[in-house]
């Protein structure tokens, strides 16, 4: 496990040198590192430039699939809620992290979520979703 953490730390150093939050992540499949990345949010000017997401995208491209259930993720800092959702969606089974978030760095949102009440559109969309999954099964 130390060799995986060392690679994560190397990736975090790259972020640090690029004036980004120093976080590194790798994806491991059958004991082999298949993807590694670091934060690129500042460099790419993209909210999605988190180390975990970058590594997941690289692994998915390499394997030519989004389902990474046979992979593990190693990351230097416990993933944020956005990354946790991407990790769940990619089906990664095990996530190893080195450090918990700092106490002062709490998750927060200033966004307000408002449910749209349009019954006809809601029913149309519900049928679309239902038909889509019915067709897939």
């Amino acid at each position: 496990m130390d060799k995986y953490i060392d690679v994560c730390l190397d990736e975090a150093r790259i972020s640090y040198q690029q004036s980004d939050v120093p976080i590194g992540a790798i994806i491991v499949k059958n004991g082999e590192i298949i993807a590694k990345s670091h934060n690129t949010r500042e460099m790419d000017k993209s909210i999605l430039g988190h180390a975990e997401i970058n590594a997941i995208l690289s692994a998915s491209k390499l394997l030519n699939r989004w389902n990474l259930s046979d992979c593990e993720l190693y990351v230097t800092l416990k993933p944020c809620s956005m990354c946790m959702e991407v990790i769940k969606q990619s089906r990664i089974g095990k996530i190893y992290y080195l450090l918990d978030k700092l106490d002062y760095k709490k998750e927060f949102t200033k966004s307000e979520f408002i449910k749209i009440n349009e019954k006809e559109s809601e029913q149309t969309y519900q049928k679309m979703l239902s038909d889509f999954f019915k067709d897939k099964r």
Side-chain angles (χ1 to χ4, degrees):
M1 191 173 310
D2 285 347
K3 68 179 179 178
Y4 298 145
I5 294 304
D6 288 344
V7 175
C8 287
L9 288 170
D10 288 343
E11 289 295 313
R13 284 184 193 95
I14 295 170
S15 293
Y16 185 87
Q17 291 165 354
Q18 295 173 346
S19 297
D20 217 318
V21 178
I23 299 175
I26 63 168
I27 305 285
V28 175
K29 182 178 186 278
N30 298 327
E32 180 185 341
I33 297 171
I34 62 166
K36 59 184 180 177
S37 194
H38 52 274
N39 271 9
T40 60
R41 201 162 88 160
E42 296 300 326
M43 185 176 73
D44 294 344
K45 307 291 186 249
S46 171
I47 190 69
L48 301 176
H50 290 215
E52 301 93 318
I53 293 173
N54 291 336
I56 288 168
L57 290 172
S58 293
S60 294
K61 186 174 184 177
L62 177 77
L63 299 174
N64 197 31
R65 58 186 162 92
W66 61 267
N67 187 323
L68 303 177
S69 58
D70 55 348
C71 298
E72 298 174 335
L73 170 71
Y74 290 78
V75 63
T76 53
L77 188 65
K78 185 176 182 179
C80 69
S81 57
M82 176 180 70
C83 290
M84 286 301 289
E85 190 57 37
V86 172
I87 292 164
K88 284 191 271 183
Q89 291 294 320
S90 68
R91 309 292 196 265
I92 294 173
K94 290 185 181 175
I95 299 92
Y96 299 93
Y97 65 94
L98 186 60
L99 187 66
D100 278 311
K101 287 196 184 315
L102 304 173
D103 287 338
Y104 70 86
K105 181 75 174 157
K106 299 294 180 190
E107 301 275 342
F108 68 94
T109 182
K110 293 182 181 181
S111 301
E112 183 178 358
F113 292 84
I114 302 166
K115 171 82 169 73
I116 300 169
N117 290 314
E118 276 193 32
K119 289 296 179 198
E120 188 175 323
S121 296
E122 190 176 314
Q123 290 169 349
T124 299
Y125 183 59
Q126 180 65 44
K127 182 176 180 341
M128 183 189 309
L129 280 174
S130 179
D131 289 348
F132 175 81
F133 287 108
K134 194 182 304 175
D135 291 345
K136 294 291 178 187
R137 294 184 177 117

